[in-house]
Amino acid sequence: MDSHQFDSHKLVFFFGDGEAEGDATMKNLLGGKGANLAEMTRIGIPVPAGFTISTEVCTAFYKNNMENPRNLYWRVEAALGQVERVMDSKFGDPKNPLLLSVRSGARVSMPGMMDTVLNLGLNDTTIEGLIEQSGDRRFAYDSYRRFVQMYGNVVLNVQHDRFEKRIERLKEETGKTQDTEITADEWKQLVADFKLIVEEETGGQFPDDPMDQLWGAISAVFKSWMRPRAEKYRELHGYPSDWGTAVNVQSMVFGNMGDDCATGVCFTRDPATGDKRFYGEYLINAQGEDVVAGIRTPQQITLEGKKIINSNLPAMAEVMPKLYGELVAIYRRLEQHYRDMQDMEFTIQSNKLWILQTRNGKRTTKAALKIAVDMVQEGLITKEEAISRVDPKSLDQLLHPTLDPNAGKTVLAAGLAASPGAASGKVIFTADEAEEWAEQQDEDVILVREETSPEDIHGMNAARGIVTSRGGTTSHAAVVARGMGRPCVSGCSAVKIDMADQSFTVEDIVIRKGDWITIDGSTGEIMKGKVPTREPALTGDFAAFMGWVDECRRLNVRTNADTPDDARVARRFGAEGIGLCRTEHMFFEGDRIIAVREMILAKDETGRRKALEKILPMQRGDFEGIFREMKGFPVTIRLLDPPLHEFIPHDKKGQKEVAASLGTTLGEVKERVEELKEFNPMLGHRGCRLGITYPEIYEMQVQAIMEAACKLVKEEKFTITPEIMIPLVGNVKELAFLKERCVTVCERVMASFGVPLTYLIGTMIELPRAALTADEIAKEAQFFSFGTNDLTQTTLGISRDDSGGFIQEYVGKAIFEQDPFVSLEKNGVGQLVRMGCDKGRLTRPDIKLGICGEHGGDPDSIDFFEKVQLDYISCSPYRVPIARLAAAQVALNNGNGKMKKEEKK
């Protein structure tokens, strides 16, 4: 649409004197601030009159080469006339001037990201009217100075410190230390000096005409929507740039006209803890920014707040008891009206209370849970509404140790926030040493590597946290760390590792082996030394809230777990089974790696089977432990997937150790390594291809699975349905070949134990051809588990371990909406998942369908999995609560929530 053709739309919305042309439902058009100003006006809250320019005008502004639509001008002038009538003053009038604030207002709160101008309308003529109105010449010139400074910075792009340095120079010249000591004449001189600064910096004069000032401020607010800080904020929170911002033009009220004036910010409940107590700060004789700028020490609003912080300064309840009572009545009314905790801004001018803003207050996750639970118990909201109000991703704050927010820290570098939580430890550069220091010396260690591999699993498990200089958020280090609940910072290219020197550098700072560092996997920061952390505490509110969550969701939530410890953690977080148990990680533990390498180096099947006999009891013990932890819940075990070369060292020293341990020669080891070498291992001799080439490997694993299950069923009366998953199938003939051998082993084991057991054999759908031919594969498979990590790689032709260097460029340039390894790419990969589901059900209507890639813990992806009606999602243990909450939210959004079904009956 041509941005000049807006006649069919209302662009400007007035509010004031109990009437408003908008309401709280119009946030997309009026922004959150504008919609709430209109709503408060409608319900009789004292709000200074004003008008809102809609977000559609912002969109038009950018389509029209950053110029306002022509038909906006008369509409703004008409709305301004309404404001003048309500406030009984006139914009630009020398005797009775109306002064304005101009603020941004997107549909979601973006605090501090966009621009504001206050006291607009002042010039050398209207200042006399403000002096007469207020009777305070110093206040008037202070307001004028603030306006020129703010307008010069926000609208005319003059650096803020140019003005601040001039104020500091005045203080030095006059021997003053506080702004409050500066006289009216001195503020007047600073106004003139500030205008000269503007002229020096811009080459033009500061605008004196109030209408020119207004249009400059309106355009500046629109321009602030695309400022780098606002763009970064939207990127971090996933907000699209085409939303645009509204502009709120509102009558000024002053909290700095004397001791019967004040300004403040308050919350209807404590935003840190969620406690039901009125909470906030105020200042007498101050403007709004003074409360948050730290120039003056703010005072508590309530007596309770004063006691909590042990303040000697009088509370508002003591100094202004009548106005405090009015504020209490308003906050209670607003919380009841919006049915949520409110963040309010207010100003008192000449003993009259004005509410400048209300919005749903930002809060910690702990507070969000408590407020949601309390409001349900108070009858203010329903359980479904409570569930919708907590961001699933924010639950990470409760599940991992976090840095003490009051502790000091020295940040060395920042990488990718790959696995949440915080940890301190001594720097170690190899997995072996990490395990040795942790187990034998009882040291806390941070494993620092260029990248990790499955062979590092023992060191990763021993470490308190992991840092890699390469790799993305779905790299091996990131995926395994999340599964273990270890904090991880990945892809930190600023960290330059020198293995020979056993150190890493960040610019000119050297960190050596044994030095302490702290990492925050929730922010990606790496810090020097030890920073205190706080352990998570899953409160009663958490348990109650998650109980409601489980009542609502349709999708079952399993976990990806490779050890009994992983399974135990996942069950504590509410996992309903295991969707992926990766057997290769077990191969690296203890003495079994020797037997695995013996199997790989064997020259024939007889030698391989001899080595596999040594591994069999170890694998059986692993599976028994996992089945025991998951008693009564399904367990899907993936047979060996990675190529064999990953189990043999590629360096000479490691190969010598292998040769010595197996009684063979270095030459034979090197020869076997060369035979196994692949140029593209991800698409090489792995997965079911290993099982077809060496059937004895899969036979041993299936035997171990079934013997563990049969033993527990027979001896301890367990109910177990093992799910045996064959990886990387692309052709139904591969699955048929391996399934026949698996069934033979299963039947033999059951016969030997005398235990009839139901078991399932299925496959991972991780290749495009598997999805395209899912109807054929379903003839042999009793379940599909979509391995979306590899399916994304093979569909997009992008290696997840090598994409870190460019994937954010793709996101930044809007080629991808999000990192496809973090959130499912729905148009391509998602369509293959949908096709696999549809084709699989066509052949086998009762086929079980799940997903075990990292996307199983991503709320945006879970919405898609609900829509294609998967039976379960599976994710790392520490993401299970996130997945549970996301599954409940998408079920409610799609009409599949159990609570909604009960209401419909």
Side-chain angles (χ1 to χ4, degrees):
M1 180 190 294
D2 183 283
S3 58
H4 290 278
Q5 306 304 312
F6 259 76
D7 293 320
S8 61
H9 294 280
K10 187 170 182 61
L11 308 184
V12 180
F13 298 76
F14 167 78
F15 56 87
D17 197 26
E19 297 181 5
E21 296 174 333
D23 59 37
T25 66
M26 299 171 67
K27 287 185 178 181
N28 291 359
L29 189 64
L30 303 182
K33 187 176 295 182
N36 284 333
L37 288 170
E39 184 75 9
M40 286 194 293
T41 301
R42 281 178 174 272
I43 64 174
I45 301 296
V47 173
F51 56 89
T52 300
I53 303 172
S54 78
T55 57
E56 289 184 348
V57 179
C58 183
T59 303
F61 179 83
Y62 282 102
K63 288 182 179 178
N64 197 38
N65 197 28
M66 292 200 289
E67 291 183 8
N68 290 307
R70 288 193 299 267
N71 56 1
L72 177 65
Y73 292 88
W74 69 264
R75 286 180 163 90
V76 166
E77 290 174 5
L80 185 58
Q82 290 179 276
V83 176
E84 290 173 332
R85 284 191 292 276
V86 170
M87 300 304 292
D88 193 25
S89 54
K90 190 168 180 60
F91 190 55
D93 187 81
K95 294 184 177 180
N96 184 27
L98 171 70
L99 300 182
L100 302 173
S101 66
V102 181
R103 292 182 172 93
S104 63
R107 68 175 69 177
V108 291
S109 177
M110 296 173 58
M113 293 301 107
M114 292 179 290
D115 290 329
T116 295
V117 178
L118 303 179
N119 306 337
L120 188 141
L122 281 172
N123 57 27
D124 291 344
T125 303
T126 57
I127 187 67
E128 298 301 328
L130 182 60
I131 292 170
E132 187 174 335
Q133 283 179 338
S134 64
D136 187 337
R137 191 164 171 269
R138 185 193 176 281
F139 151 75
Y141 275 107
D142 183 19
S143 299
Y144 196 1
R145 177 274 308 184
R146 290 175 187 252
F147 166 59
V148 176
Q149 183 173 353
M150 194 174 292
Y151 194 95
N153 175 238
V154 168
V155 181
L156 303 176
N157 298 313
V158 178
Q159 290 298 312
H160 183 71
D161 63 356
R162 283 295 313 269
F163 303 113
E164 287 299 320
K165 285 177 180 176
R166 181 64 191 90
I167 295 174
E168 291 306 311
R169 196 174 85 198
L170 172 71
K171 290 177 182 176
E172 289 174 8
E173 292 169 351
T174 58
K176 294 171 180 174
T177 58
Q178 301 294 325
D179 287 2
T180 52
E181 298 174 275
I182 297 175
T183 67
D185 286 337
E186 287 165 343
W187 281 134
K188 182 178 181 180
Q189 182 58 50
L190 278 176
V191 169
D193 292 348
F194 283 3
K195 288 183 177 181
L196 285 175
I197 290 172
V198 168
E199 193 168 346
E200 289 172 9
E201 291 288 328
T202 66
Q205 292 189 337
F206 188 89
D208 277 336
D209 183 274
M211 286 305 297
D212 289 344
Q213 295 173 0
L214 178 58
W215 287 111
I218 289 169
S219 294
V221 170
F222 284 147
K223 289 175 183 176
S224 71
W225 177 249
M226 288 298 183
R227 291 203 192 284
R229 66 176 185 261
E231 288 185 313
K232 184 64 176 178
Y233 189 92
R234 291 196 298 273
E235 177 190 322
L236 292 173
H237 292 84
Y239 301 147
S241 60
D242 60 4
W243 278 359
T245 181
V247 178
N248 298 289
V249 180
Q250 195 172 12
S251 310
M252 281 296 303
V253 287
F254 294 96
N256 59 336
M257 287 177 63
D259 289 341
D260 60 353
C261 303
T263 187
V265 176
C266 55
F267 296 84
T268 60
R269 304 194 186 208
D270 190 320
T273 65
D275 290 341
K276 190 177 181 181
R277 71 178 185 91
F278 189 36
Y279 168 94
E281 297 173 329
Y282 84 112
L283 279 172
I284 291 176
N285 195 19
Q287 273 203 307
E289 68 265 24
D290 296 340
V291 176
V292 294
I295 298 169
R296 292 166 56 187
T297 303
Q299 298 162 235
Q300 293 294 304
I301 290 176
T302 67
L303 288 169
E304 181 185 8
K306 178 182 172 180
K307 290 176 183 175
I308 288 173
I309 68 167
N310 196 26
S311 172
N312 293 321
L313 298 172
M316 181 180 171
E318 297 171 291
V319 178
M320 298 177 162
K322 179 175 178 297
L323 292 163
Y324 171 77
E326 290 179 22
L327 183 62
V328 168
I330 288 173
Y331 100 68
R332 287 175 175 162
R333 186 175 178 193
L334 287 176
E335 184 174 273
Q336 285 288 323
H337 183 77
Y338 285 100
R339 299 183 308 118
D340 202 352
M341 184 264 278
Q342 295 299 292
D343 169 3
M344 302 158 51
E345 295 178 14
F346 66 90
T347 287
I348 295 167
Q349 178 178 313
S350 304
N351 286 319
K352 179 171 176 56
L353 175 64
W354 297 93
I355 305 300
L356 306 184
Q357 174 171 283
T358 193
R359 59 190 172 194
N360 293 339
K362 292 190 178 296
R363 64 208 76 178
T364 65
T365 305
K366 178 183 178 183
L369 286 174
K370 179 165 181 55
I371 291 168
V373 171
D374 285 353
M375 285 189 169
V376 169
Q377 293 172 346
E378 293 164 19
L380 201 57
I381 62 174
T382 65
K383 292 178 181 178
E384 292 92 335
E385 288 173 309
I387 289 167
S388 72
R389 289 185 179 180
V390 179
D391 178 5
K393 293 178 183 177
S394 73
L395 292 181
D396 264 343
Q397 295 178 24
L398 300 180
L399 306 178
H400 300 269
T402 56
L403 291 180
D404 184 341
N406 299 317
K409 61 182 182 180
T410 301
V411 178
L412 293 171
L416 299 174
S419 181
S424 298
K426 293 183 177 180
V427 170
I428 291 295
F429 294 96
T430 69
D432 289 342
E433 282 195 303
E435 184 175 54
E436 179 186 338
W437 281 43
E439 294 186 358
Q440 297 180 19
Q441 301 178 35
D442 198 26
E443 295 276 13
D444 290 337
V445 299
I446 303 290
L447 178 62
V448 179
R449 305 277 286 159
E450 286 190 349
E451 57 192 353
T452 63
S453 73
E455 196 167 350
D456 293 323
I457 194 78
H458 59 299
M460 298 172 74
N461 185 56
R464 300 284 292 174
I466 299 142
V467 173
T468 67
S469 60
R470 293 206 296 257
T473 55
T474 54
S475 64
H476 175 268
V479 171
V480 173
R482 284 195 291 270
M484 292 177 168
R486 300 289 188 276
C488 176
V489 175
S490 66
C492 188
S493 57
V495 170
K496 309 299 182 185
I497 298 172
D498 185 338
M499 290 298 291
D501 189 50
Q502 290 287 279
S503 67
F504 74 79
T505 58
V506 178
E507 295 181 347
D508 58 347
I509 299 173
V510 180
I511 303 294
R512 301 190 182 281
K513 173 182 167 182
D515 289 348
W516 281 89
I517 63 170
T518 299
I519 66 171
D520 188 341
S522 302
T523 65
E525 289 181 331
I526 302 170
M527 289 145 279
K528 190 175 182 179
K530 295 175 71 172
V531 179
T533 59
R534 293 178 173 178
E535 287 298 316
L538 303 184
T539 66
D541 291 326
F542 179 86
F545 180 81
M546 295 307 292
W548 302 340
V549 162
D550 292 340
E551 290 177 39
C552 274
R553 62 185 168 84
R554 183 197 63 83
L555 279 164
N556 288 322
V557 178
R558 300 192 193 182
T559 190
N560 301 339
D562 309 327
T563 67
D565 286 343
D566 289 345
R568 190 177 307 116
V569 170
R571 280 292 301 127
R572 184 162 65 93
F573 289 145
E576 299 162 310
I578 291 177
L580 175 63
C581 175
R582 293 161 287 211
T583 54
E584 61 268 14
H585 287 170
M586 302 170 181
F587 282 11
F588 286 101
E589 293 184 8
D591 295 336
R592 69 187 68 183
I593 188 62
I594 298 173
V596 171
R597 289 166 175 167
E598 180 184 342
M599 181 269 294
I600 294 170
L601 292 170
K603 299 184 185 303
D604 54 28
E605 182 181 335
T606 302
R608 286 193 294 275
R609 288 191 180 276
K610 182 179 178 183
L612 289 168
E613 286 176 7
K614 299 177 183 177
I615 302 171
L616 173 63
M618 302 175 190
Q619 286 254 280
R620 183 172 56 235
D622 292 329
F623 298 138
E624 187 176 326
I626 288 171
F627 285 141
R628 194 180 298 280
E629 292 296 336
M630 282 290 163
K631 184 175 183 179
F633 291 99
V635 176
T636 301
I637 299 171
R638 182 180 74 186
L639 302 183
L640 188 65
D641 184 37
L644 296 180
H645 70 78
E646 289 195 5
F647 298 96
I648 303 182
H650 289 252
D651 63 292
K652 187 174 181 179
K653 180 184 175 185
Q655 291 174 359
K656 275 186 176 180
E657 292 174 355
V658 170
S661 65
L662 296 178
T664 186
T665 67
L666 175 61
E668 287 183 331
V669 175
K670 291 177 71 173
E671 181 182 348
R672 184 58 172 149
V673 169
E674 282 301 310
E675 289 174 2
L676 294 173
K677 186 177 179 180
E678 294 179 300
F679 289 103
N680 190 354
M682 186 247 172
L683 297 177
H685 195 186
R686 54 168 285 217
C688 67
R689 299 158 193 171
L690 282 175
I692 289 169
T693 309
Y694 307 116
E696 56 273 13
I697 297 176
Y698 278 14
E699 288 172 13
M700 179 278 293
Q701 291 194 296
V702 173
Q703 182 178 343
I705 293 167
M706 294 301 290
E707 286 181 352
C710 287
K711 179 185 177 187
L712 290 173
V713 170
K714 185 173 184 177
E715 296 179 4
E716 300 183 36
K717 308 304 180 188
F718 272 48
T719 300
I720 300 175
T721 303
E723 299 178 358
I724 299 167
M725 184 158 67
I726 297 171
L728 211 71
V729 165
N731 188 312
V732 67
K733 293 179 182 178
E734 294 172 315
L735 182 58
F737 177 89
L738 291 169
K739 180 183 177 183
E740 181 182 355
R741 283 154 180 77
C742 289
V743 168
T744 299
V745 173
C746 291
E747 297 300 323
R748 186 179 70 239
V749 171
M750 288 191 296
S752 68
F753 274 85
V755 174
L757 199 65
T758 300
Y759 61 90
L760 303 178
I761 296 177
T763 187
M764 283 185 89
I765 303 294
E766 49 193 326
L767 296 174
R769 192 182 191 280
L772 293 167
T773 62
D775 49 344
E776 296 178 10
I777 293 174
K779 293 175 183 176
E780 300 289 343
Q782 293 168 289
F783 67 87
F784 288 166
S785 180
F786 290 91
T788 53
N789 294 348
D790 276 357
L791 187 60
T792 297
Q793 294 192 93
T794 54
T795 302
L796 301 182
I798 296 176
S799 163
R800 68 177 180 176
D801 291 327
D802 299 314
S803 65
F806 65 86
I807 208 75
Q808 288 309 314
E809 287 289 322
Y810 270 53
V811 174
K813 291 178 170 63
I815 296 170
F816 289 146
E817 289 184 15
Q818 299 183 66
D819 183 337
F821 294 107
V822 173
S823 192
L824 189 76
E825 191 277 310
K826 300 177 183 65
N827 289 339
V829 183
Q831 291 313 303
L832 287 173
V833 173
R834 186 185 297 275
M835 183 182 297
C837 292
D838 293 344
K839 283 177 169 281
R841 290 191 184 105
L842 195 63
T843 298
R844 190 186 292 268
D846 64 345
I847 192 168
K848 186 182 290 189
L849 301 172
I851 179 265
C852 61
E854 279 298 296
H855 299 101
D858 171 60
D860 290 338
S861 305
I862 291 170
D863 180 67
F864 178 84
F865 300 139
E866 173 72 23
K867 287 173 180 172
V868 298
Q869 294 285 287
L870 293 187
D871 296 303
Y872 69 85
I873 50 182
S874 188
C875 57
S876 56
Y878 281 84
R879 298 185 89 177
V880 166
I882 295 170
R884 289 163 64 195
L885 176 53
Q889 290 180 348
V890 300
L892 291 170
N893 292 340
N894 288 284
N896 298 324
K898 294 176 184 176
M899 290 183 184
K900 279 198 172 182
K901 286 182 179 178
E902 289 171 4
E903 287 175 0
K904 290 176 182 176
K905 287 180 181 178

